[in-house]
Amino acid sequence: MKDRTSISLYWKCQLIGWSLAALYWAYIGFISPGFSLSLGLLLFITDVVMYISLTHLYRNFALRHHWQNLNLDQLVKRIIPAIVIMSIAYTILTLLKLYAFKVMFSPGFSESLFSFMMRWMDVFIAGIRIMSIWLLAYHLYQYARREIRVTKENAQLAIMTREAQLSNLSAQINPHFLFNSLNTIKALVIDQPGSARRGIDLLSELLRNALYNSGAVLIPLKSEMDLVHDYLELEKLRMEERLTFEIEMDSLLEEQLIPRFSIQSLVENAIKHGVSLQKPGGCVQIDISRLGDKIRICVQNPGMIDLNTPTTGIGLKNLQERLRLEYHGAASFDICRKSGGKVWATLLIPMP
């Protein structure tokens, strides 16, 4: 089957729009005395090529300066002077075109170019009207495309967030985790009833967070750390002295919004693939600070990592995809091996 070369909607609109405009101008010439079919055809082709080229240059300029991503107020401030500049360019090109055709196809025409250019007012007014229509149509098209893209990304982000919530819930209530947690609590009931009650509180709090607080995509850093602290305490009841943890956080960052379950996913990964695999266990260190205009979140644990093997964990892959959708490349995630048998997972999240 032969490949078919498709023409984008932009070029279809350009060709159709300017062809219709050139046909209208040709019709005006047709009903005027002395109309020449060959001259009218040449004018038609010249108009289409010339004005498509002019507007396409504007499109390239606007795309290069990312005008398609501006909000409405910023865009209006640029469109108004752009209409004036484009109308001036339209006026100059149109008068030069008409003058050249007069010289080539009108015997006896002797008017100077300067004198001919003095007729600019009517052409300029027509240019204002035409360029206003073109620029508004073009930017409305770009605005619609952006809204469609944002809607799709938001829908995808909602799906990814829901998957993260389900993954988190699954990790918290999977039979192995639940069995170990309940056995830990059972063992503490007689000898350490206070610790047993604390274990039940922690388990119920984790399940409550996973089940009922599922609406928010972004939550305050303090709320995320409360969840992480409960998770670490419950794991410590299970692993006892094999697990220790240290948390350092800049208190000025507590109300900053971050993706839900982002730090919890890193801590869960640190315990599952780091501390739990070490016979003596180890310490999970969490450091949260400000780095320029970003929040730096570092989770450190003992263990090894093969840098040549890509990350395959569902939780971490999900987190990376959510960061991409939410921050459009402004956030980053990195996991690396440090000296002394340490693994560092680092998140950089932009601050509003």
Side-chain angles (χ1 to χ4, degrees), residues 7 11 13 17-18 23 40 52 66 75 92 99 106 113 121 126 153 169 192 200 211 227 266 269 275 279 289 296 350:
I7 301 176
W11 282 111
C13 291
W18 286 115
L23 281 173
I52 283 181
H66 307 289
L75 187 59
I92 294 171
Y99 184 80
S106 297
L113 176 60
M121 181 57 74
E153 288 183 350
L169 176 60
Q192 301 179 49
I200 293 170
L211 286 168
L227 173 68
L266 298 184
N269 189 73
V275 176
K279 188 174 182 179
S289 58
R296 178 180 177 271

Side-chain angles (χ1 to χ4, degrees), residues 90-294:
Y90 171 89
T91 301
I92 294 171
L93 285 174
T94 301
L95 289 174
L96 288 175
K97 176 202 70 175
L98 293 175
Y99 184 80
F101 273 77
K102 286 280 188 182
V103 170
M104 289 187 292
F105 300 105
S106 297
F109 178 77
S110 59
E111 187 177 356
S112 69
L113 176 60
F114 179 80
S115 174
F116 191 82
M117 296 291 282
M118 288 299 101
R119 305 172 187 177
W120 62 272
M121 181 57 74
D122 290 341
V123 180
F124 179 73
I125 292 173
I128 288 282
R129 185 167 58 249
I130 292 169
M131 290 302 155
S132 296
I133 293 171
W134 190 93
L135 265 71
L136 288 173
Y138 173 73
H139 285 292
L140 282 173
Y141 165 71
Q142 290 291 343
Y143 180 78
R145 284 188 63 188
R146 186 178 68 180
E147 287 301 302
I148 292 171
R149 186 186 75 244
V150 169
T151 301
K152 287 181 178 179
E153 288 183 350
N154 286 341
Q156 192 175 356
L157 181 59
I159 292 171
M160 296 298 299
T161 302
R162 185 62 180 167
E163 287 179 357
Q165 293 162 355
L166 293 173
S167 175
N168 178 73
L169 176 60
S170 176
Q172 290 167 0
I173 63 174
N174 74 71
H176 181 71
F177 178 89
L178 197 56
F179 178 79
N180 286 338
S181 299
L182 291 174
N183 266 348
T184 300
I185 294 169
K186 178 183 175 182
L188 295 171
V189 167
I190 297 176
D191 296 329
Q192 301 179 49
S195 296
R197 285 195 297 270
R198 180 57 180 160
I200 293 170
D201 289 341
L202 291 170
L203 186 58
S204 64
E205 185 66 19
L206 282 170
L207 296 177
R208 185 186 67 82
N209 270 289
L211 286 168
Y212 299 114
N213 298 334
S214 59
V217 175
L218 300 177
I219 61 171
L221 180 58
K222 185 178 184 302
S223 299
E224 175 74 7
M225 288 309 298
D226 288 342
L227 173 68
V228 168
H229 196 274
D230 289 345
Y231 179 79
L232 282 167
E233 277 201 59
L234 186 56
E235 284 287 354
K236 184 169 178 59
L237 285 176
R238 182 173 64 86
M239 298 180 66
E240 298 180 334
E241 70 277 359
R242 292 184 62 235
L243 173 64
T244 58
F245 58 89
E246 298 174 4
I247 299 175
E248 291 188 16
M249 182 175 73
D250 186 342
S251 60
L252 297 177
L253 301 175
E254 286 184 349
E255 298 306 315
Q256 294 295 324
L257 298 179
I258 65 170
R260 189 174 181 83
F261 301 127
S262 53
I263 303 177
Q264 193 273 341
S265 296
L266 298 184
V267 171
E268 182 182 337
N269 189 73
I271 295 173
K272 182 178 179 181
H273 298 290
V275 176
S276 66
L277 300 181
Q278 310 298 311
K279 188 174 182 179
C283 178
V284 175
Q285 296 173 289
I286 305 171
D287 182 72
I288 303 171
S289 58
R290 179 168 182 168
L291 183 64
D293 61 348
K294 295 184 177 180

